[in-house]
Amino acid sequence: MKVGIVDDRTIDLDKLKFILQEEEDVELIFATTNPEEAYAEIQKNKIDLLIADIEMPGISGYELADFIQTHGLLITVIFVTAKSGYAVHAFELNVHDYILKPYKKERLLQALAKYREKQHAGNLTGRLILKQKGHIEMIPKKDIIFAERTGRSTTIYTTNQSYETYMTMNELEGSLRENNFIRSHRSFIINLHFVKSFSIYTKKSYSVTFEGTKQIAMLTKEKMDYLQKYYF
C-alpha cells in the first residue's frame, strides 16, 4: 500500500515512520510536518492511505480529509490525534479509523489490518462483496454501471438489477479501484465503460446518461475537467 503521513509534531511523525517502516507491504510516499506539503502531495492522488493529525497550523487534517472526499480521490484516511472532539466529523467524512494519542503500536497495526481486509474483500476475483442481512451478494464489477448515495444507504445499479447497501461511498471506492470507475460527485461513482453522454446541468455540474439503464448520475465540473485532461 502507498502511504502518506502528516503530523506537525516531529516526535509523532517519527513514531509513525518507525512503525510503518517495519511493514513489508507499506511504501511511504511522503512524511511531512507541513500540511501544505501534504495537501500538494494529495492532489497528485498517488497514495492509497493518508495518516494525519487533525489540529495543525494552516491546513487541518479534517480539511485534508474533506478535500479527499469532495474531490472523490481514492484515498483512505486514518486520523491519529490527541483530540477526541472531532470523532463526529470524522464519521461524517467516512474516515477509516480514529486513533487517539498516546497510542500503542498495536493500535495502529490494528487499523492497518482492518484496511487490508477491506481491500482484499473488495478485490476478490473481480467481484464486489456485499454482506446483506442473511446472505452475501457477489457482484461482478464489470456489470456495475454506477452507484448513488441517498441518505444513509447506497444503491448500486448493474446491467441486471440494483442493490441496496449501507456501504459508504468511501468504502465502495476502496473496493472499485479499477481505472474505469471514478468518483464523479460526492454522491456518485460511475463506470466510464457504460457512459453514453454528458450534458450541462448547472454551471458547476453535468448529468450523465448510461447504456443499460435510464437512471441518471451527476458529475462535477472539476471532474469533467479531470476527464478531459486524462481520458478524452
Side-chain angles (χ1 to χ4, degrees):
M1 70 183 80
K2 296 181 179 180
V3 181
I5 57 177
V6 54
D7 195 309
D8 62 310
R9 283 170 48 90
T10 301
I11 189 171
D12 290 332
L13 188 72
D14 288 343
K15 179 179 180 179
L16 284 171
K17 288 195 293 185
F18 177 77
I19 296 173
L20 292 173
Q21 70 184 8
E22 296 182 342
E23 298 299 296
E24 292 184 357
D25 63 339
V26 170
E27 179 184 357
L28 194 57
I29 304 301
F30 68 84
T32 180
T33 56
N34 187 333
E36 282 79 11
E37 181 181 337
Y39 175 73
E41 290 289 342
I42 287 168
Q43 291 183 78
K44 299 175 184 178
N45 202 19
K46 293 183 178 180
I47 60 172
D48 305 308
L49 177 66
L50 174 70
I51 302 176
D53 190 11
I54 293 181
E55 290 195 343
M56 297 181 289
I59 302 176
S60 70
Y62 178 78
E63 289 173 314
L64 293 176
D66 184 62
F67 175 82
I68 288 170
Q69 184 184 58
T70 301
H71 289 76
L73 303 181
L74 297 179
I75 300 173
T76 299
V77 178
I78 293 176
F79 281 148
V80 180
T81 178
K83 302 292 184 180
S84 61
Y86 291 95
V88 173
H89 296 303
F91 176 78
E92 292 172 349
L93 289 170
N94 299 318
V95 169
H96 173 71
D97 210 336
Y98 191 97
I99 301 174
L100 284 174
K101 301 175 184 177
Y103 62 92
K104 294 183 178 180
K105 172 183 175 181
E106 290 73 23
R107 178 66 181 86
L108 181 61
L109 294 181
Q110 180 185 33
L112 293 177
K114 182 181 176 183
Y115 170 79
R116 292 187 185 97
E117 288 175 4
K118 284 189 175 182
Q119 299 310 303
H120 177 71
N123 290 299
L124 183 64
T125 64
R127 293 172 179 263
L128 176 67
I129 313 301
L130 289 186
K131 296 181 180 179
Q132 310 286 49
K133 290 184 179 180
H135 68 286
I136 297 175
E137 296 283 356
M138 307 277 285
I139 306 173
K141 295 179 183 179
K142 64 180 180 61
D143 293 340
I144 296 174
I145 300 174
F146 78 97
E148 178 183 9
R149 183 74 173 181
T150 52
R152 298 186 63 183
S153 66
T154 300
T155 303
I156 299 173
Y157 296 93
T158 74
T159 53
N160 300 311
Q161 65 184 90
S162 61
Y163 300 86
E164 297 290 329
T165 176
Y166 286 107
M167 287 182 73
T168 66
M169 295 304 281
N170 279 7
E171 289 172 337
L172 191 55
E173 270 188 291
S175 298
L176 299 175
R177 290 185 170 271
E178 289 79 359
N179 290 335
N180 48 300
F181 288 100
I182 69 162
R183 181 77 168 269
S184 63
H185 182 279
R186 181 187 290 269
S187 302
F188 292 91
I189 296 174
I190 66 174
N191 185 344
L192 293 174
H193 288 172
F194 289 98
V195 171
K196 185 165 60 175
S197 70
F198 299 103
S199 301
I200 294 176
Y201 187 73
T202 68
K203 289 182 178 180
K204 295 184 178 181
S205 65
Y206 293 77
S207 61
V208 187
T209 62
F210 303 91
E211 300 286 350
T213 182
K214 293 182 179 180
Q215 299 294 327
I216 294 174
M218 301 302 297
L219 178 87
T220 65
K221 183 180 183 303
E222 288 182 345
K223 275 300 177 180
M224 174 58 81
D225 293 340
Y226 174 83
L227 287 176
Q228 290 180 328
K229 183 177 181 180
Y230 294 102
Y231 286 84
F232 305 153

